[in-house]
Amino acid sequence: RSVRYRGGSDDIDLDRTIEVLAEKPFPEDEDIIVRERVRTRRSVVLAVDVSGSSKGERAQTAAATVGALAGELRDDDLAVIAFWSDAAVLLPLGVRFQPQGVLDALMRVPARGLTNVGFPLQLAAIELAKRPSLDARVLLLSDCVHNAGPDPRGPAARLPRLDVLLDVSGEKDLELGHELAKAGRGRLLAVNGYRDVAPALSRIFTS
């Protein structure tokens, strides 16, 4: 935002400052207009694949993702959806994020069944509609081996942004992962274990 100079930002808004100087040829410090960064509260939905293919190391990756988001989004809104052939909202947007509680709930969901990638994306759109935000996005953690339900590309395209953390530690569908990220105007980053999660999230949230 553009504000009067008060000794903080030194990023001068030249257009606005020239407008002021045109009316006041002998300006004081506060007549200089500068730009200050204003942080926008984010709304993020994490969709975690807990289907039958997401066991062992992949469960650790899911846990690491929740933990990393606890630090990244401590001042933002976060929802968590677990999905397989079905899906469950473990944490709705607007509810206080308690990482240990979310982790416990996530670990209690048995890894089972097929993978319906489209369903959690539909639920994520419903969650985001509850709390509109200028910075709203969905983060999909999955191997993207979609084998249940309709084509997920349609739900992906209806999201404000979809970033894909593609788990490549086992079977995966790289092509679908890229297409989902492209449809959702986001990025795809591959993770091969829990150690890759924090660097991947850092790249996603700085883009």
Side-chain angles (χ1 to χ4, degrees):
R1 64 180 177 181
S2 294
V3 298
R4 291 185 178 276
Y5 178 71
R6 298 186 181 88
S9 173
D10 58 0
D11 182 11
I12 298 176
D13 185 334
L14 289 176
D15 292 337
R16 293 286 301 280
T17 298
I18 290 172
E19 290 176 7
V20 173
L21 297 183
E23 300 177 0
K24 194 172 182 180
F26 301 101
E28 299 178 3
D29 286 351
E30 65 179 16
D31 295 317
I32 304 299
I33 307 301
V34 297
R35 286 188 288 264
E36 290 184 347
R37 290 185 176 274
V38 178
R39 191 179 183 285
T40 301
R41 189 176 182 88
R42 294 175 291 190
S43 294
V44 178
V45 179
L46 171 64
V48 182
D49 187 346
V50 295
S51 62
S53 61
S54 298
K55 299 178 181 178
E57 178 74 15
R58 290 186 167 182
Q60 290 183 322
T61 301
T65 304
V66 172
L69 288 176
E72 177 69 34
L73 303 176
R74 56 184 175 274
D75 297 319
D76 300 285
D77 289 325
L78 174 67
V80 179
I81 299 173
F83 71 95
W84 55 103
S85 57
D86 202 348
V89 179
L90 304 183
L91 178 72
L93 278 180
V95 175
R96 184 183 176 190
F97 176 35
Q98 297 179 315
Q100 190 58 53
V102 173
L103 280 173
D104 290 344
L106 187 60
M107 294 301 104
R108 284 196 298 268
V109 179
R112 59 188 178 185
L114 302 175
T115 307
N116 182 347
V117 178
F119 192 26
L121 302 185
Q122 293 173 333
L123 292 180
I126 294 172
E127 285 296 316
L128 290 175
K130 295 177 182 178
R131 296 177 71 86
S133 170
L134 293 176
D135 189 351
R137 66 176 73 195
V138 177
L139 183 62
L140 175 68
L141 174 60
S142 175
D143 57 20
C144 291
V145 180
H146 174 75
N147 49 29
D151 192 329
R153 295 170 183 82
R158 290 189 284 272
L159 296 171
R161 173 166 173 164
L162 172 64
D163 295 298
V164 178
L165 283 180
L166 183 71
D167 194 321
V168 297
S169 61
E171 184 184 8
K172 70 274 187 185
D173 188 335
L174 183 60
E175 181 179 357
L176 179 59
H178 275 296
E179 290 177 358
L180 291 174
K182 182 179 179 180
R185 296 160 296 281
R187 300 183 65 183
L188 178 142
L189 291 175
V191 293
N192 193 32
Y194 65 91
R195 292 183 180 87
D196 295 340
V197 168
L201 288 176
S202 178
R203 291 177 63 188
I204 284 175
F205 285 113
T206 54
S207 64

